[in-house]
Amino acid sequence: MSPGHAAPGKRGSRDRPVHSAAMGTGYVIAANADAGSACEEAVGVTAGVLRAAGPTELVATRSPGDLDDVVAALRDRVLVVVGGDGSLHAAVNALRRGGRLDAAVGLVPLG
């Protein structure tokens, strides 16, 4: 095991979200409502970790319009996308449409 990495099953500093005032005052998790059980498990774990770090809202999305609504309500929170490259692409496009390319974005890669 290399220095700075936690042993399997243990939480190290790399397992905790980085949070500063410059990044925002909380998190919004955007997850595809039509994704399978692996995504549901990842969303649950992600929500648990982020809730320990600050206020966290979970939003199930089904369309680009849903993501536009998420971006419109984002304020100074960090957008955390749970999904694959298509989900990230859709979220970045929503940020562009909403004039929010300044927003902090996190990714929990799936798919």
Side-chain angles (χ1 to χ4, degrees), residues 3-49:
H5 289 84
K10 299 203 179 205
R11 292 179 51 108
S13 62
R14 292 178 184 243
D15 296 328
R16 295 185 192 106
V18 176
H19 185 49
S20 71
M23 285 181 58
T25 60
Y27 305 92
V28 177
I29 301 169
N32 184 337
D34 298 322
S37 60
C39 183
E40 289 176 15
E41 183 179 342
V43 168
V45 170
T46 300
V49 169

Side-chain angles (χ1 to χ4, degrees), residues 8-100:
K10 299 203 179 205
R11 292 179 51 108
S13 62
R14 292 178 184 243
D15 296 328
R16 295 185 192 106
V18 176
H19 185 49
S20 71
M23 285 181 58
T25 60
Y27 305 92
V28 177
I29 301 169
N32 184 337
D34 298 322
S37 60
C39 183
E40 289 176 15
E41 183 179 342
V43 168
V45 170
T46 300
V49 169
L50 293 179
R51 284 185 181 120
T56 301
E57 178 182 0
L58 173 59
V59 180
T61 61
R62 285 197 161 89
S63 70
D66 290 347
L67 284 167
D68 290 340
D69 293 343
V70 169
V71 168
L74 192 59
R75 297 184 306 274
D76 63 346
R77 297 177 292 174
V78 177
L79 175 61
V80 178
V81 178
V82 179
D85 58 340
S87 296
L88 181 60
H89 184 261
V92 170
N93 276 327
L95 290 166
R96 180 189 50 77
R97 286 190 302 273
R100 289 302 316 273

